[in-house]
Amino acid sequence: MLFAPIGRFITLCARHAWLVVALFCVLSGAGVYAGMTQLGVTTDTSKMLSPRLQWKQRSDEMARLFPQKENLLVAVVEADLPEEGQETARQLAEKLAADHKHFAFANRPDANPYLERNGLMFLEPKPLAGILNDTIAAQPFLSALAQDPSARGLFGALSLIAEGVKTGQANLAGFQAPLTGFANTLEKAADGQASPLSWQRLLGGQLSDLAGRYQFVMTQPILDYGSFQPGGEATDAMRAVIRDLEFVRSGHAKVHLTGQVQLDDEEFATVAEGMVAGLVGSLLLVTLWLTLAVRSWRVVLPIVVTLVVGLLLTTGFAAVAVGTLNLISVAFAILFVGIAVDFAIQFSVRFRAQIPAATGREGMYEALRMTGEETGHQILVASLATSAGFLAFTPTAFLGVAQLGLIAGIGMIVAFVCTTTLLPALLCICHPPLNCPSMGYVWMKPVDVKIRQHRKWLLAFFGVVAVVGLVLVPALQFDGDPLHTKNPNSEGMRALSLLINNPQTSPYSAELLVASLADAEKQADRLGELPDVHDVMWLGSYVPTQQPEKLALIQDAASLLLPTLIVPTPKPAPDAATLRTAAANTARALAEVLDKLPANDPLRRIQAALARLATAPDATLEAANTALVRFLPPELNQLRSMLQAGPVTMHDVPPSIANDYLLPDGRALVEVHPKGVMSSSGALRKFVGSLQKVEPDMAGTAVDIVESARSIVRAFEQAAGAAVVMIAIILMIALRRIKDMALVLAPLLLSALMTVILVVLLPETLNFANIIALPLLLGVGVSFNIYFVMNWRDGVKFPLASPTARAVLFSALTTGTAFGSLALSHHPGTASMGRLLLLSLACTLLGTLVFVPALLPKRAIDED
């Protein structure tokens, strides 16, 4: 066996302690250098899974063919008035488009001239006829405004209304909303608090509502992948522009940032903050637990130094082996501290309990040899089994955990090497006192006896627990939506929440690439009939249907409206005196018909406000003029443009739109939007499932989320099976008896089933971040169980009273501290990882300290 060789090797390291320390200083320096120069981090969750997967290949191909849809930084403009939002978005897009240092492009997808000109054509004939009839009814009013687009013209139009009321020819039933808007604006202006009037709402009616509440500026920032936040510089540049926009400064508009770049940058910042704080905090608390475990700073210091050195060496390996960490593998540091500390505690606790025959330096060497012979082979088996549990994930398609498995697997070997080389050297240098038999828990002997006496009942209880766990396994739910692991309070997620309920702006869409536009039309018709589909977009969606019928309606309205709307030379802007006269004249005209108006008619308020304006200072009148008609000319221009719409075909769709749906080789894209809110994984699976029954080759965000969840579950099923087999082989080689191997594996499986019960009952949803609790459960569970089983083989009578139990308990406390720091993270994914790790650790500890002592067969030396 390896007992004597390990003991002699540890003694050799102790005798050459300073040389060993010097060697590890050099290796640590190399690890630090590699980490600082070669190690990076990516927040791109698309790289979490293998590109060999078919659905991933389709997703990557879509990203390659339509690069303009990737790595976007989106500004969502929310304003009090539609015009304020449009003007804010226009100014922002213009300034960002001119910033070629930070942005590849910046545009407004909802402000395309083609869409604006054909806006009426996209309405159904019935609502289109209603809008046109209302516009025709307002023709005298619009004509007056077209000839004089100022407050003077508006006052004149109101005078015409007064004349109609006087003669009994004015039907104001359909104009109450616009007149109320005028009244509100005029009253504020008369009070000296002029605010802009929305002509889009007044004249557009329901057409204005169809435009939506938000304006968008789509940008593709130039990313700096050498930075921890690749989009940070571009985001800062955008924020600087936003701060100087007129309506943002006045408080009438807000700009929210979202998009893939913003979400990724925010996520890394949150994860990094939690990791750094968690690592520092866990090291401090680990030091406290170590002090309580070994009761001497002369032992605590060597353990802490050994952990730090092992972490630096593992970091150096990560830099060389993988280069770039992902959002899962970045947790290797805390996991290393949490698991590797177990080896150091096991060695140190048993070291302090040794009673060497010699004294002084030779006594120290003898104690280290005895510790190595007693526990070295146990730590070796534990490290190999733990390493196997992690390395089993390396070949899987889940690259996030595969990378963590590689780093952590090698890290366990590094931890063993450090524990059997550097730690003995440091203990020799620090020279702590020995002969501490109180390292064990003598008061736990009665508990050991009770467990032996009632082992049948305990085994029956745990058997029932195992059966319940097996029954609940199908109830486990895996949520593959990466949005659910992000901080919901970040700006990017808050902005996304504004859009997620709208099918047109929801991030949960599906895509299909077909051979031609003809195929795209057929697929759009097929997919559009599915009950879970809200709408299907393809290039033909940008060509209005029923054009002859709609154009006839538009042309009839245009024949009546355009002659009065197209005015070659509108009147010049009025001065304050002219405005005052116009306000006074209109106030008098309305005063003459007040007796014919209902008590709540907005014309009464308008008359009172105009009378006040007629006596107001020049500045108040000029501010009122600006507020009333600032947004009138663009609205009149828009109306003129829409009334001149003509027949369009797919050839008329501009490249800025067509390039998102048609490739140069003729292949066409079909985009499917879901019906309802896709905030739950069940709804998303149902939506994607219905699409895949019709067309298995679907791609897009919704498909990526569902398929990634399936791939991750398959990867863990494969890895769990491989890990158990590898651990079983290692145990069989080390223990050489099937029964002893089963004694280690049985509590491991029980701990897993107990974790399943807690996950289902709490409940704690599994996701791509917290599912790494499985390999950790395998690693920690194997280590703890191996110590107890090998002690039983070596003749230890009271497992809970032994130094091993003390070491296991404090190992669990230190490991739990490390994972608890993850649970306190502001990042939901990292926090859920910490919570699940704590649950699995608690189950592992229960299995080791209660189930294992009950499970161990009775020997002749055991007491009744």
Side-chain angles (χ1 to χ4, degrees):
M1 293 295 288
L2 295 174
F3 299 176
I6 292 178
R8 288 195 298 268
F9 176 74
I10 288 175
T11 304
L12 178 65
C13 292
R15 291 184 181 276
H16 299 85
W18 288 108
L19 179 61
V20 172
V21 171
L23 175 61
F24 275 96
C25 285
V26 173
L27 293 175
S28 299
V32 171
Y33 176 79
M36 293 180 63
T37 58
Q38 300 183 43
L39 191 61
V41 179
T42 178
T43 58
D44 187 356
T45 54
S46 67
K47 296 181 180 179
M48 289 285 189
L49 291 152
S50 171
R52 299 190 305 271
L53 297 167
Q54 288 188 358
W55 67 266
K56 189 70 167 59
Q57 291 176 351
R58 291 195 296 271
S59 179
D60 292 344
E61 180 69 359
M62 287 291 190
R64 185 185 67 81
L65 294 173
F66 299 96
Q68 69 272 25
K69 296 185 177 184
E70 298 297 310
N71 295 324
L72 297 180
L73 179 60
V74 182
V76 182
V77 181
E78 180 182 16
D80 296 342
L81 302 181
E83 292 92 337
E84 291 174 334
Q86 291 165 0
E87 181 63 14
T88 300
R90 183 192 66 78
Q91 293 177 8
L92 179 60
E94 285 183 357
K95 293 182 178 180
L96 297 182
D99 183 359
H100 301 295
K101 177 182 177 182
H102 297 110
F103 299 95
F105 67 76
N107 58 50
R108 296 173 59 204
D110 46 0
N112 191 286
Y114 171 84
L115 298 177
E116 292 178 341
R117 182 175 66 255
N118 297 292
L120 293 173
M121 297 274 283
F122 287 100
L123 298 174
E124 292 297 317
K126 186 173 181 180
L128 172 61
I131 288 175
L132 292 174
N133 288 335
D134 290 343
T135 307
I136 291 172
Q139 189 268 345
F141 186 75
L142 295 174
S143 175
L145 293 175
Q147 296 177 42
D148 187 1
S150 68
R152 175 184 56 199
L154 173 59
F155 297 160
L158 292 172
S159 296
L160 292 176
I161 293 177
E163 185 65 27
V165 172
K166 182 183 293 184
T167 59
Q169 298 178 350
N171 181 8
L172 303 180
F175 297 94
Q176 293 301 297
L179 291 174
T180 299
F182 291 140
N184 293 337
T185 304
L186 285 171
E187 287 175 342
K188 289 181 180 178
D191 293 334
Q193 300 174 353
S195 59
L197 177 66
S198 175
W199 286 92
Q200 188 175 123
R201 288 175 178 168
L202 292 177
L203 300 181
Q206 52 186 308
L207 187 62
S208 173
D209 296 334
L210 292 175
R213 180 181 178 185
Y214 305 105
Q215 301 292 317
F216 303 95
V217 178
M218 312 289 290
T219 74
Q220 191 173 70
I222 297 172
L223 302 178
D224 176 14
Y225 288 104
S227 169
F228 285 149
Q229 293 178 285
E233 191 173 340
T235 303
D236 291 342
M238 181 182 286
R239 293 188 194 280
V241 173
I242 291 171
R243 283 194 296 268
D244 291 335
L245 297 176
E246 175 189 356
F247 293 114
V248 173
R249 291 199 312 268
S250 67
H252 291 288
K254 297 177 181 178
V255 181
H256 313 278
L257 301 187
T258 189
Q260 180 181 345
V261 171
Q262 177 71 10
L263 293 173
D264 286 351
D265 284 356
E266 287 177 345
E267 182 161 36
F268 176 77
T270 306
V271 170
E273 176 188 356
M275 287 298 172
V276 173
L279 183 57
V280 173
S282 65
L283 283 174
L284 293 175
L285 285 175
V286 162
T287 304
L288 173 62
W289 296 129
L290 290 175
T291 303
L292 295 176
V294 297
R295 302 179 182 175
S296 172
W297 69 267
R298 294 178 183 273
V299 181
V300 171
L301 181 60
I303 292 176
V304 172
V305 172
T306 301
L307 286 178
V308 172
V309 170
L311 180 57
L312 293 178
L313 295 179
T314 306
T315 302
F317 168 77
V320 174
V322 302
T324 302
L325 300 174
N326 55 57
L327 287 175
I328 291 180
S329 60
V330 75
F332 84 90
I334 291 180
L335 296 187
F336 179 89
V337 172
I339 299 177
V341 71
D342 171 62
F343 303 159
I345 290 177
Q346 287 291 339
F347 189 95
S348 301
V349 167
R350 300 199 199 182
F351 165 70
R352 291 213 67 201
Q354 299 299 333
I355 307 175
T359 58
R361 183 67 60 179
E362 289 301 321
M364 183 68 60
Y365 296 151
E366 183 181 355
L368 288 170
R369 178 186 57 77
M370 294 165 63
T371 304
E373 292 177 354
E374 176 185 322
T375 192
H377 62 294
Q378 296 183 4
I379 295 176
L380 174 60
V381 175
S383 65
L384 289 176
T386 305
S387 179
F390 281 116
L391 292 175
F393 289 82
T394 303
T396 67
F398 190 11
L399 298 184
V401 170
Q403 191 180 90
L404 177 65
L406 175 63
I407 299 171
I410 299 301
M412 294 303 96
I413 305 301
V414 171
F416 169 74
V417 172
C418 291
T419 302
T420 54
T421 54
L422 180 60
L423 180 58
L426 293 171
L427 287 171
C428 187
I429 291 172
C430 293
H431 207 293
L434 300 176
N435 193 8
C436 295
S438 60
M439 284 290 108
Y441 292 130
V442 179
W443 50 271
M444 288 295 290
K445 284 184 179 181
V447 178
D448 275 314
V449 173
K450 289 293 183 182
I451 289 177
R452 301 300 306 170
Q453 290 175 345
H454 300 90
R455 63 187 302 266
K456 292 182 179 180
W457 289 104
L458 286 172
L459 293 177
F461 169 77
F462 282 115
V464 172
V465 170
V467 171
V468 173
L470 283 172
V471 171
L472 291 179
V473 166
L476 290 176
Q477 295 292 326
F478 185 85
D479 184 359
D481 191 343
L483 294 181
H484 294 167
T485 64
K486 299 181 187 295
N487 183 0
N489 297 317
S490 68
E491 180 183 6
M493 285 299 295
R494 289 199 307 269
L496 193 61
S497 68
L498 300 175
L499 315 175
I500 208 165
N501 293 334
N502 184 344
Q504 297 294 335
T505 57
S506 171
Y508 302 107
S509 62
E511 298 173 337
L512 178 65
L513 193 62
V514 296
S516 65
L517 286 173
D519 290 338
E521 183 175 14
K522 293 177 183 177
Q523 291 288 6
D525 291 339
R526 292 176 64 201
L527 297 171
E529 294 175 356
L530 297 176
D532 296 312
V533 172
H534 178 271
D535 65 271
V536 182
M537 298 294 293
W538 64 292
L539 186 59
S541 303
Y542 291 88
V543 179
T545 58
Q546 301 175 275
Q547 290 192 40
E549 181 181 356
K550 294 175 184 178
L551 283 173
L553 293 172
I554 293 173
Q555 289 167 358
D556 286 346
S559 65
L560 297 173
L561 293 169
L562 284 180
T564 57
L565 290 178
I566 300 176
V567 180
T569 54
K571 292 183 179 180
D575 56 20
T578 305
L579 290 170
R580 183 175 288 103
T581 300
N585 292 338
T586 303
R588 282 195 297 272
L590 288 172
E592 294 174 1
V593 298
L594 290 179
D595 58 335
K596 298 183 179 181
L597 297 174
N600 60 348
D601 195 290
L603 282 175
R604 291 180 175 274
R605 295 170 54 203
I606 290 174
Q607 191 277 332
L610 287 172
R612 292 165 57 200
L613 276 174
T615 59
D618 290 355
T620 302
L621 282 164
E622 291 170 353
N625 180 65
T626 300
L628 286 167
V629 299
R630 173 172 180 174
F631 298 126
L632 175 60
E635 191 63 23
L636 291 174
N637 289 337
Q638 175 71 5
L639 180 58
R640 297 183 189 106
S641 175
M642 289 191 296
L643 289 172
Q644 298 180 69
V648 293
T649 67
M650 276 192 276
H651 295 291
D652 297 309
V653 179
S656 58
I657 295 176
N659 290 343
D660 287 344
Y661 294 92
L662 186 64
L663 294 171
D665 60 7
R667 286 182 292 173
L669 184 72
V670 179
E671 188 175 85
V672 186
H673 298 126
K675 182 182 295 183
V677 179
M678 297 290 106
S679 57
S680 70
S681 56
L684 199 59
R685 285 196 300 270
K686 184 172 180 290
F687 168 62
V688 172
S690 67
L691 296 180
Q692 290 178 329
K693 289 179 182 178
V694 177
E695 183 50 64
D697 292 332
M698 295 296 298
T701 306
V703 177
D704 289 351
I705 292 172
V706 172
E707 289 293 348
S708 65
R710 292 172 182 166
S711 298
I712 290 171
V713 171
R714 283 196 297 269
F716 270 85
E717 290 172 348
Q718 296 167 2
V724 171
V725 171
M726 291 170 63
I727 291 172
I729 292 173
I730 292 172
L731 293 175
M732 193 63 196
I733 294 173
L735 303 177
R736 300 183 182 182
R737 289 201 299 239
I738 294 178
K739 181 180 71 172
D740 294 353
M741 178 190 72
L743 290 176
V744 175
L745 292 180
L748 185 66
L749 297 178
L750 175 66
S751 300
L753 293 174
M754 287 192 293
T755 303
V756 168
I757 295 174
L758 291 179
V759 168
V760 173
L761 294 182
L762 284 178
E764 183 72 49
T765 303
L766 297 178
N767 55 55
F768 72 86
N770 65 24
I771 201 168
I772 70 167
L774 177 57
L776 181 85
L777 173 64
L778 293 174
V780 174
V782 164
S783 297
F784 290 176
N785 299 337
I786 283 174
Y787 300 140
F788 272 65
V789 172
M790 295 186 79
N791 278 354
W792 170 78
R793 283 164 55 98
D794 292 339
V796 175
K797 295 177 60 177
F798 302 102
L800 296 183
S802 68
T804 299
R806 179 188 184 89
V808 165
L809 178 60
F810 278 98
S811 292
L813 287 173
T814 52
T815 305
T817 296
F819 302 154
S821 67
L822 293 176
L824 297 176
S825 171
H826 296 297
H827 182 261
T830 304
S832 68
M833 181 195 307
R835 290 194 301 270
L836 195 54
L837 290 173
L838 285 173
L839 291 178
S840 64
L841 178 63
C843 294
T844 298
L845 195 60
L846 180 62
T848 300
L849 297 181
V850 181
F851 179 63
V852 171
L855 185 66
L856 294 175
K858 183 179 179 181
R859 301 158 300 182
I861 62 173
D862 291 326
E863 299 179 7
D864 291 333

